[in-house]
């Protein structure tokens, strides 16, 4: 089988297409019982009160490394790198490295 993925608009959502060779016969597989949702897998609401930052300002942030001065960096879909300060993220967003 060949698997391809397609990202949605601005990287939100994804579709997975699987192309099966017609000369093969798929076989059912059992993954066994699901793990119990205890400890780190238990239900929580930690992120329910999270503040959404930079909505409609940045698209496709990836990872969020930080430096010793308190700046947090992220790469965007357009290839730019932006940074903001951890103590004042809303007013400190700046383009650190422009793709152009």
């Amino acid at each position: 089988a060949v698997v391809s993925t397609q990202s949605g608009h601005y990287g939100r959502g994804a579709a997975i297409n699987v192309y099966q060779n017609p000369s093969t016969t798929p076989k059912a597989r059992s993954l066994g019982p699901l793990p119990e949702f205890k400890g780190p897998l238990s239900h929580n609401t930690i992120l329910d009160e999270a503040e959404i930052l930079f909505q409609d300002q940045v698209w496709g942030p990836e990872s969020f490394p930080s430096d010793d001065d308190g700046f947090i960096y992220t790469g965007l879909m357009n290839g730019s790198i932006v940074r903001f300060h951890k103590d004042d993220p809303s007013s400190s967003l700046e383009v650190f490295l422009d793709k152009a």
Side-chain angles (χ1 to χ4, degrees), residues 26-91:
K27 296 180 182 175
R29 301 278 185 209
S30 174
L31 299 177
L34 292 175
E36 291 187 47
F37 295 111
K38 293 181 179 177
L41 296 177
S42 66
H43 178 75
N44 68 66
T45 58
I46 295 169
L47 295 178
D48 288 352
E49 301 299 320
E51 178 184 359
I52 297 174
L53 299 173
F54 314 121
Q55 190 165 359
D56 299 324
Q57 294 178 29
V58 297
W59 291 273
E62 298 168 354
S63 61
F64 295 93
S66 61
D67 64 17
D68 293 336
D69 296 324
F71 284 99
I72 300 171
Y73 299 81
T74 188
L76 304 180
M77 272 181 55
N78 67 1
S80 297
I81 297 174
V82 297
R83 74 177 185 177
F84 55 93
H85 199 273
K86 67 177 182 136
D87 295 332
D88 189 16
S90 296
S91 64

